[in-house]
Amino acid sequence: MSTVQHNMSLTGEPPKTLNTVQKIATIIGMFGLAILLLASFNVTFPNKAVWLSISLLSITGGIILFARGAYANELEGIKNHGVWFKSVSSRGFLAWITGIALTGFYIVLYFYAEYLGLNANGENTGVISLFDPLSRLLNGNPASQWFVYGTLYTIAIFAFGIKFIWKYRHNRYERIRTMSVMFFQTAFAFLIPEFMARLNTSEAYNLPYYDLKSVWPLNYYLFDGYSLDGLLSSGNLGLYMLLFGVASIFIITPILTYKYGKRWYCSWVCGCGGLAETAGDPFRHLSDKSMFAWKVERWVVHSVLVFAVVMTTALVSTYLGNDSNAYWLTKDVFLIGAGVFLTLIFAGIWFFKRDALKKDARYGAVGYFVIIIALLGIHYGSGNSNIFIFEAAVLRQWYGFLIGAIFSGVIGTGFYPIFGSRVWCRFGCPMAAILGLQQRLFSRFRITTNGGQCISCGNCSTYCEMGIDVRAYAQKGENIVRASCVGCGICSAVCPRGVLKLENGPMESRIDSNQVLLGNDVDLIALVNKK
Amino acid sequence: MEHIVIIGNGISGVTAARHIRKLSDKRITIISAETEHFFSRTALMYIYMGHMKYEHTKPYEDWFWEKNKIELKRAYVNEVMHEEKQLLLEDGAKISYDKLIIAVGSKSNKFGWPGQDLDGVQGLYSYQDLETLEQYAPNKKVCKRAVIVGGGLIGIELAEMLHTRGIPVTFLVRESSFWNGILPNGESEMINRHIKNHHIDLRLGVNLKEILADENGRARAVVVAETAEEIPCDLVGLTAGVSPNVDFLKGSGIELGRGVKVNRYLETNVPDVYAIGDCAEQREAIGKRRTIEAVWYTGRMMGETIAQTICGNRIQYNPGNWFNSAKFFDIEYQTYGWVNSNEQLPDYEEHFHWIHEDDTKCLTIATHKETGKFLGINTFGIRMRHEVFDTWLTDDRGTDYVVQYLALANFDPEFYRSFESQVLEAYTNQTINA
Ligand SMILES: Cc1cc2nc3c(=O)[nH]c(=O)nc-3n(C[C@H](O)[C@H](O)[C@H](O)COP(=O)(O)OP(=O)(O)OC[C@H]3O[C@@H](n4cnc5c(N)ncnc54)[C@H](O)[C@@H]3O)c2cc1C
Ligand code: SF4
Ligand code: SF4
């Protein structure tokens, strides 16, 4: 012991990063990507439908074969071997290359779609034109950059979903959850909206793209003027869809979140979550677990929520304001209604749940509430056509740019290999903020800690994609009830001692904080736990 | 202000410090040689396997200690001079204490095998062991084969670790079946098969004779006692158990047995000197427990207890119902109460054993023959709820009751297939047959 070495750098070596099957798989997948890349550089392919199929099939096949190479010969179980040694999953060279490539892709996609070959006034060129045949097949129109993105997104969730299922094949919760995510992405986010677009060929319909599972405020464009116009001018179907959208916010979401926690959405249904859980899975351990990150998270994500609420209120009231006789709901009624609603929610939380909120959360809540009410007041008092201090459209533009594009796309997904897979969900998603508040205050969901069995190993915290320090609770014997937990179940899966269980149960004593853990003399437990 | 000095920053020492801090504002210093900060020893394997980095194994962020006014000193204690109430550190410095807690943990056993101190021969206990492992067994090119001697919990962890780097492993186990001094036969045999499924060369019922050196004083092969077979290898892992790390206390006047002798209050023979964790040896066994308990949970519990005593509420170390857990490659193991191995089976104890057809799940329930009282359960591949078994044990439930309500104790993730009905059926059938 006297020859203690002070060198703390253990540099492990993975056995062999890729085996033969995985190498072949990589070549196949890269071949598929290469076709897309060539198309982007305006190489014209003779038969687009055939080449597109070849490309998409090799990408999908490559990923699935890769998964086979990785897991088929391993016995089932948690095999995070070498995760922190491999360049791509430990912020090494490959990770940065991947991150930069993804980020670049998002920038082009959001801001320079013409480089992908988008041509609104004529024939598409480039990679977008390669997708024309598929787009025509599904919705009857030429492709847009969003169609290309949607297709690739769906393929990613599908193929990496299969990889994920293979990896966690011993875990039925993970299998079922992933199938659910794959289904909702393919059916709800991809196919149904494309088919609905076909309806628009008839005069009676003017439906906007609407992914029914995407709930406001994640789906912040639901209340855009064009979207409302579209829905309201598409007969009963459009109206039902709008009503469903509103019901999702005020009825469906609260009920499901009460019963199952926010996981029903974030890791079972949502597309952003879906991508994070599948394609993002190799990066989940990169999330920041520090107390500092948690503080930043709380402020940022709730600020985005406030931004979203203010922006949407402004948009809807402008929409109503444009033609005050068109609807029974006038701008004034709407604004008063929104103010009353927010006040009721706030008062309810304050009255019933104040003790459950941390001190800075209380300051924050009061602050935000004052701001919202003040903004409403300013507008209502000023009475001019300007909404709040900014024009609603300007707010909407900034929101779309900052939150919709930069945060959720460029940073949220582009930086998967650097910051981990759920940066957007954790710091940026206003939907997650709402669900999180409810999960923390009014839900049956919790992660139960198994008495005194925790050995503080840290696997749970390391693999929590939301950066929750799960161990901090488990080693105290305290249940985990955190706003940000998306219920992915991975902490429970990687725990080598069977300490964690996601469950729904009664609200009473959902959080039991123990000073002394089970396993001790009962008298000591009683003595120390009494406060 | 009273100065509490703790030697050892493992789970027991750190728990003591935390709880003393909660109860008082005494000055607290933790002296430890191994690492700057407390880390989880149980997670050593995951660092080598690449699941985690060292920093992930630290249960508290680095700011925690200063914020809670717990002073940390990285140093090796050469001597305890209890008459002066001082510690002599390796660099010659001295530290005074008012109360001393010895929480120095264990060291790997070596049984005097020829060649046991060669390069490339090591145990797996400390962070430094991990560093030498990284040196001698970084990959399968440098380490063409490893031999592990000693079939316990650490041995199987080491086998799994090396296996993840593709290093072929020969596993020498003295017992006729893996860990069957502790596990009933049905379970032990299932684990044998599981080890072999991972392509580990498991040799049962064999002993190490000696370790052979090459010309550089590095291990090159081991010789098996029973067969005289020579197995060439580049690494020898000695994992035949651990024992208290108390050599530095010899001659200090603090009474030692195998560990530091303590009474039920965790007090040593010297006033104001206490010992907790792996290194403490009870003068008399508590219930069916061993006098030295080298497990995580007991270290923690002793830390919780000693904090009370030090802060003026002198209480006995009085652990509740026994429990423990481990993982054998992919199979999790939990135990509540006492289930003895076939070798150690007391007259009054009988077993009900159920094994799933996939050969990765099984359980054994121990019952008192005369009274039908439930004595304990081992489960493999099925998670159980600690709280429920703790209550059942405390309430002296019968095994009939336990099997009937087994589903209440299930702790597997949602949607997992459950086996309680199968277990109940097997149990009922055997009861009728018997
Ligand atoms: C690989 C491995 C896996 C394990 N897995 C499990 C498990 O799954 N479940 C379980 O229950 N238990 C497990 N254990 C056992 C468990 O880790 C120990 O029981 C526990 O860590 C003991 O804690 P402790 O505080 O008593 O001592 P330690 O953690 O050993 O801490 C003692 C510290 O004191 C330092 N020290 C010693 N002498 C001196 C000195 N003279 N001066 C200064 N510092 C000194 C040592 O360097 C060490 O850092 C495992 C052990 C190992 C090695
Ligand atoms: S706490 Fe567990 S279930 Fe929740 S997000 Fe983190 S890993 Fe997933
Ligand atoms: S809960 Fe499980 S994974 Fe987390 S620290 Fe405890 S034993 Fe490790």
Side-chain angles (χ1 to χ4, degrees):
Chain A
M1 207 36 2
S2 51
T3 55
V4 170
Q5 296 174 22
H6 293 264
N7 167 21
M8 303 296 287
S9 62
L10 286 182
T11 47
E13 285 181 51
K16 192 199 238 176
T17 329
L18 295 182
N19 58 34
T20 319
V21 177
Q22 286 174 304
K23 279 181 191 153
I24 297 172
T26 310
I27 294 172
I28 296 178
M30 286 297 164
F31 171 71
L33 273 182
I35 297 175
L36 296 186
L37 208 62
L38 286 176
S40 314
F41 290 116
N42 280 324
V43 174
T44 0
F45 287 93
N47 187 335
K48 292 206 165 73
V50 171
W51 280 100
L52 178 68
S53 310
I54 295 179
S55 164
L56 298 184
L57 283 176
S58 15
I59 294 176
T60 314
I63 297 172
I64 296 174
L65 189 64
F66 190 92
R68 193 191 145 82
Y71 308 118
N73 291 326
E74 290 266 17
L75 295 183
E76 45 182 64
I78 295 299
K79 300 286 150 66
N80 287 320
H81 306 331
V83 162
W84 285 100
F85 303 147
K86 290 175 191 156
S87 175
V88 72
S89 57
S90 65
R91 300 197 188 100
F93 180 70
L94 285 179
W96 281 96
I97 294 288
T98 317
I100 291 169
L102 278 172
T103 314
F105 168 73
Y106 273 96
I107 292 176
V108 173
L109 177 77
Y110 280 111
F111 307 113
Y112 304 101
E114 62 274 17
Y115 292 144
L116 296 174
L118 182 71
N119 189 350
N121 308 318
E123 283 278 296
N124 284 330
T125 54
V127 67
I128 294 187
S129 72
L130 193 65
F131 282 73
D132 279 343
L134 183 60
S135 180
R136 288 220 163 80
L137 178 75
L138 295 176
N139 63 35
N141 298 313
S144 68
Q145 80 269 39
W146 302 120
F147 181 81
V148 173
Y149 181 52
T151 312
L152 293 177
Y153 199 102
T154 307
I155 286 185
I157 291 191
F158 177 77
F160 284 108
I162 292 184
K163 176 166 180 273
F164 188 88
I165 290 177
W166 219 317
K167 178 172 172 185
Y168 295 99
R169 62 189 183 279
H170 59 289
N171 188 315
R172 205 147 169 260
Y173 179 77
E174 299 303 334
R175 279 192 335 248
I176 295 177
R177 182 174 71 74
T178 306
M179 284 186 242
S180 161
V181 162
M182 288 158 71
F183 166 76
F184 277 103
Q185 174 62 29
T186 316
F188 280 66
F190 187 60
L191 293 178
I192 294 180
E194 298 303 337
F195 293 148
M196 273 181 348
R198 280 195 170 266
L199 292 175
N200 290 346
T201 43
S202 95
E203 282 292 297
Y205 287 99
N206 182 25
L207 293 169
Y209 167 91
Y210 187 11
D211 169 0
L212 285 168
K213 72 172 176 32
S214 186
V215 182
W216 177 90
L218 182 59
N219 177 2
Y220 59 90
Y221 32 82
L222 177 62
F223 297 106
D224 280 357
Y226 78 89
S227 163
L228 290 175
D229 275 340
L231 289 170
L232 291 173
S233 62
S234 299
N236 280 345
L237 182 61
L239 192 63
Y240 287 146
M241 283 167 63
L242 183 58
L243 287 179
F244 178 75
V246 176
S248 308
I249 307 167
F250 295 108
I251 302 170
I252 302 177
T253 298
I255 293 180
L256 290 176
T257 310
Y258 170 70
K259 292 184 85 151
Y260 308 112
K262 82 199 249 190
R263 56 182 171 154
W264 77 267
Y265 194 72
C266 297
S267 64
W268 283 74
V269 171
C270 178
C272 303
L275 192 71
E277 292 294 341
T278 52
D281 175 64
F283 311 112
R284 62 170 57 247
H285 53 283
L286 300 171
S287 58
D288 191 336
K289 317 304 188 295
S290 67
M291 189 72 96
F292 176 73
W294 183 17
K295 283 200 176 126
V296 173
E297 164 196 316
R298 291 207 295 266
W299 282 100
V300 175
V301 77
H302 294 116
S303 303
V304 174
L305 175 59
V306 170
F307 191 175
V309 170
V310 170
M311 188 260 308
T312 307
T313 318
L315 275 179
V316 176
S317 68
T318 317
Y319 186 81
L320 296 171
N322 286 345
D323 185 354
S324 55
N325 299 323
Y327 310 101
W328 57 267
L329 186 65
T330 65
K331 179 171 154 185
D332 289 355
V333 172
F334 171 74
L335 281 175
I336 295 172
V340 169
F341 181 71
L342 288 173
T343 314
L344 279 180
I345 290 194
F346 180 80
I349 293 179
W350 195 254
F351 191 71
F352 293 110
K353 295 283 178 181
R354 186 165 31 158
D355 301 338
L357 295 176
K358 294 207 177 243
K359 204 161 100 207
D360 60 339
R362 273 185 246 162
Y363 293 149
V366 175
Y368 287 139
F369 178 68
V370 170
I371 294 172
I372 293 179
I373 292 300
L375 286 176
L376 287 174
I378 290 171
H379 163 66
Y380 198 59
S382 70
N384 60 25
S385 65
N386 250 18
I387 293 300
F388 305 126
I389 6 188
F390 306 102
E391 213 159 322
V394 176
L395 271 185
R396 166 65 180 79
Q397 251 172 16
W398 276 100
Y399 188 91
F401 172 73
L402 285 177
I403 311 297
I406 300 288
F407 211 151
S408 83
V410 180
I411 299 180
T413 312
F415 282 95
Y416 266 15
I418 307 302
F419 299 135
S421 51
R422 287 264 193 183
V423 172
W424 158 248
C425 310
R426 182 181 178 196
F427 295 95
C429 177
M431 176 80 182
I434 295 186
L435 296 177
L437 275 174
Q438 199 195 328
Q439 170 159 290
R440 182 75 184 72
L441 300 174
F442 195 63
S443 163
R444 292 161 52 82
F445 173 70
R446 90 290 309 277
I447 303 178
T448 307
T449 297
N450 202 7
Q453 287 283 22
C454 176
I455 53 169
S456 300
C457 68
N459 273 297
C460 51
S461 298
T462 306
Y463 286 90
C464 175
E465 53 190 351
M466 296 305 281
I468 298 173
D469 191 356
V470 184
R471 164 176 57 192
Y473 300 84
Q475 66 191 2
K476 281 193 285 190
E478 182 177 327
N479 289 347
I480 296 114
V481 180
R482 276 279 291 267
S484 60
C485 170
V486 293
C488 66
I490 295 297
C491 53
S492 160
V494 298
C495 173
R497 295 293 178 273
V499 178
L500 306 164
K501 179 172 163 80
L502 285 67
E503 18 177 37
N504 314 308
M507 294 259 292
E508 297 86 60
S509 67
R510 198 161 55 122
I511 316 171
D512 278 323
S513 179
N514 292 329
Q515 297 298 318
V516 164
L517 295 164
L518 200 58
N520 274 289
D521 176 16
V522 257
D523 297 337
L524 178 65
I525 302 183
L527 174 80
V528 182
N529 287 341
K530 78 163 190 280
K531 296 196 190 104
Chain B
M1 208 185 336
E2 201 178 26
H3 188 196
I4 313 293
V5 174
I6 301 171
I7 316 180
N9 67 353
I11 178 67
S12 57
V14 161
T15 308
R18 279 179 40 241
H19 282 262
I20 295 172
R21 178 49 72 243
K22 274 190 192 144
L23 297 167
S24 74
D25 53 4
K26 296 180 197 294
R27 180 173 169 215
I28 306 173
T29 306
I30 304 182
I31 306 176
S32 202
E34 185 180 3
T35 51
E36 198 71 39
H37 295 106
F38 170 44
F39 77 102
S40 179
R41 192 172 301 296
T42 52
L44 274 175
M45 64 185 297
Y46 298 107
I47 304 178
Y48 179 84
M49 302 205 297
H51 293 207
M52 284 190 274
K53 292 184 63 139
Y54 166 69
E55 62 250 35
H56 301 118
T57 66
K58 290 193 268 188
Y60 303 96
E61 285 187 64
D62 291 351
W63 49 257
F64 176 87
W65 310 102
E66 206 186 309
K67 182 170 172 244
N68 288 290
K69 294 195 288 347
I70 297 173
E71 295 169 38
L72 302 181
K73 180 155 182 66
R74 177 124 183 237
Y76 185 77
V77 177
N78 266 357
E79 222 180 303
V80 176
M81 303 175 294
H82 66 82
E83 254 133 46
E84 298 91 58
K85 287 202 162 184
Q86 276 190 334
L87 305 178
L88 177 65
L89 305 185
E90 195 179 35
D91 61 6
K94 288 181 182 165
I95 290 192
S96 307
Y97 64 82
D98 296 306
K99 289 197 170 123
L100 178 68
I101 303 177
I102 302 174
V104 291
S106 305
K107 59 178 187 332
S108 305
N109 282 337
K110 292 181 174 182
F111 290 120
W113 292 294
Q116 67 182 15
D117 294 318
L118 293 169
D119 287 345
V121 181
Q122 65 165 105
L124 177 69
Y125 190 83
S126 65
Y127 186 83
Q128 286 69 31
D129 289 336
L130 206 57
E131 287 177 324
T132 49
L133 190 66
E134 202 62 71
Q135 184 185 345
Y136 290 102
N139 55 42
K140 64 180 178 192
K141 283 198 204 82
V142 175
C143 181
K144 298 201 179 53
R145 175 166 292 275
V147 174
I148 298 173
V149 183
L153 295 177
I154 298 181
I156 195 166
E157 284 188 2
L158 185 56
E160 180 176 1
M161 289 160 70
L162 295 161
H163 179 65
T164 62
R165 297 218 184 164
I167 297 170
V169 176
T170 299
F171 194 6
L172 305 186
V173 174
R174 188 183 48 166
E175 293 78 19
S176 58
S177 176
F178 177 78
W179 220 38
N180 67 356
I182 307 284
L183 299 180
N185 289 345
E187 303 171 346
S188 163
E189 282 155 18
M190 186 181 91
I191 299 300
N192 289 343
R193 295 189 290 272
H194 189 61
I195 295 174
K196 287 182 188 153
N197 286 343
H198 282 274
H199 310 291
I200 305 292
D201 172 23
L202 175 67
R203 313 275 186 98
L204 296 170
V206 293
N207 285 277
L208 171 66
K209 182 158 171 248
E210 61 174 322
I211 304 165
L212 305 177
D214 67 5
E215 60 284 2
N216 302 319
R218 208 182 140 160
R220 68 169 172 83
V222 301
V223 181
V224 179
E226 282 72 12
T227 57
E229 182 190 356
E230 204 177 294
I231 306 173
C233 60
D234 300 292
L235 180 94
V236 181
L238 300 180
T239 55
V242 297
S243 48
N245 188 10
V246 293
D247 291 347
F248 77 107
L249 294 171
K250 282 190 181 138
S252 65
I254 297 171
E255 189 188 340
L256 304 178
R258 280 191 299 137
V260 182
K261 289 273 191 188
V262 293
N263 60 17
R264 283 296 287 272
Y265 294 91
L266 303 167
E267 297 159 341
T268 65
N269 62 319
V270 175
D272 293 334
V273 178
Y274 308 84
I276 56 175
D278 277 23
C279 68
E281 181 181 356
Q282 285 290 328
R283 290 177 188 279
E284 273 157 48
I286 305 174
K288 291 186 191 134
R289 293 168 176 258
R290 301 171 179 217
T291 51
I292 298 177
E293 296 177 302
V295 286
W296 186 261
Y297 325 95
T298 51
R300 196 192 62 221
M301 279 145 53
M302 288 187 224
E304 288 158 353
T305 310
I306 198 70
Q308 294 286 327
T309 301
I310 294 224
C311 295
N313 174 28
R314 184 166 177 262
I315 57 169
Q316 290 195 348
Y317 169 56
N318 196 15
N321 295 311
W322 172 255
F323 68 98
N324 200 1
S325 58
K327 193 172 178 186
F328 306 105
F329 284 89
D330 302 317
I331 301 183
E332 287 173 21
Y333 153 69
Q334 297 189 337
T335 181
Y336 301 97
W338 295 107
V339 181
N340 286 294
S341 65
N342 292 55
E343 289 182 3
Q344 319 246 322
L345 204 66
D347 294 339
Y348 60 80
E349 181 173 328
E350 68 181 0
H351 286 171
F352 162 69
H353 181 68
W354 169 87
I355 183 163
H356 188 263
E357 60 195 11
D358 76 2
D359 208 21
T360 64
K361 299 171 198 74
C362 71
L363 56 77
T364 305
I365 299 178
T367 311
H368 196 291
K369 271 185 198 157
E370 272 94 60
T371 61
K373 196 179 115 177
F374 169 69
L375 300 173
I377 186 168
N378 284 351
T379 63
F380 289 76
I382 303 173
R383 294 177 173 180
M384 290 287 160
R385 219 178 265 268
H386 186 176
E387 210 181 338
V388 173
F389 274 111
D390 199 62
T391 318
W392 286 348
L393 285 163
T394 307
D395 294 351
D396 281 336
R397 292 289 179 185
T399 297
D400 290 351
Y401 179 91
V402 168
V403 175
Q404 177 144 27
Y405 292 101
L406 202 56
L408 292 180
N410 187 297
F411 201 68
D412 273 336
E414 294 155 299
F415 301 115
Y416 267 43
R417 300 200 190 284
S418 67
F419 308 101
E420 287 86 18
S421 50
Q422 277 186 46
V423 172
L424 181 62
E425 198 184 309
Y427 181 76
T428 325
N429 287 341
Q430 68 130 37
T431 322
I432 292 168
N433 296 342

